[in-house]
Amino acid sequence: MNKQIKYLTLVSLLFSAQCVMSQTDSLEADNYISKAQNAAKLSLNDLAIQYYQSAIEASPTHTQAYYELGCLYTDMELYQLAIPNFETTLSINPDHADSHERLAYIHTENENFDQAYIHAQKAIELNPTSPSAYATMGIYYCIQKEYINAISW
């Protein structure tokens, strides 16, 4: 019985330590994200990228770091670098509506309309007030020459 109590105490302490480390990692990532946002506002994109990457290293499951890095790459029209960041965000949180919306936009820009449709549809499902996702759906139907459907979006 005494060994069981010691074992449970040890497991509890290890779990508590892991939680504290996770919170510390998240706070460190938040700090890097804040620095990245400030750098991006000043158009210091290379520095912002470094800060976002540091945030990801500090907390590899921090969706905001991947999402915002993807947004920065999108703003720079570096779509092939943006896509994996949004996909990673979705692998961590499949219901991240903004990532679906951004992927719909990128796939529209790349004329990959089937993928754009899939992500726009999911973005609308998760966020029914998303104007850009509705616009993507309209573009998709125009490209398909389904003008009646395009108008309904």
Side-chain angles (χ1 to χ4, degrees):
M1 179 86 165
N2 205 9
K3 284 185 178 182
Q4 289 175 334
I5 292 172
K6 286 181 182 178
Y7 176 75
L8 290 174
T9 302
L10 178 62
V11 169
S12 176
L13 287 172
L14 289 173
F15 179 75
S16 296
Q18 181 66 30
C19 289
V20 168
M21 287 173 44
S22 177
Q23 290 173 345
T24 302
D25 292 347
S26 184
L27 289 174
E28 184 179 3
D30 288 341
N31 185 37
Y32 282 124
I33 289 168
S34 179
K35 290 178 180 181
Q37 291 168 333
N38 289 333
K41 286 177 189 172
L42 297 171
S43 298
L44 300 171
N45 293 337
D46 290 338
L47 183 59
I49 290 166
Q50 289 174 6
Y51 281 132
Y52 284 129
Q53 289 171 338
S54 294
I56 290 166
E57 288 174 20
S59 183
T61 59
H62 200 297
T63 57
Q64 184 182 0
Y66 291 103
Y67 173 75
E68 294 210 15
L69 181 55
C71 289
L72 180 60
Y73 283 136
T74 301
D75 293 344
M76 297 168 65
E77 297 183 5
L78 298 172
Y79 301 131
Q80 295 311 312
L81 295 175
I83 290 170
N85 286 284
F86 295 127
E87 289 175 344
T88 300
T89 301
L90 291 174
S91 73
I92 298 166
N93 177 7
D95 292 337
H96 195 274
D98 293 336
S99 289
H100 284 290
E101 190 173 316
R102 289 291 185 136
L103 284 169
Y105 169 79
I106 290 170
H107 288 304
T108 299
E109 287 293 305
N110 289 337
E111 298 183 8
N112 186 353
F113 298 112
D114 291 337
Q115 282 297 307
Y117 176 86
I118 290 167
H119 287 288
Q121 194 173 42
K122 186 67 175 178
I124 291 168
E125 176 187 317
L126 296 169
N127 180 12
T129 61
S130 170
S132 67
Y134 282 101
T136 299
M137 294 298 280
I139 291 167
Y140 172 82
Y141 284 116
C142 281
I143 297 299
Q144 302 300 320
K145 298 184 184 203
E146 295 180 28
Y147 302 115
I148 300 298
N149 286 332
I151 292 169
S152 70
W153 287 100

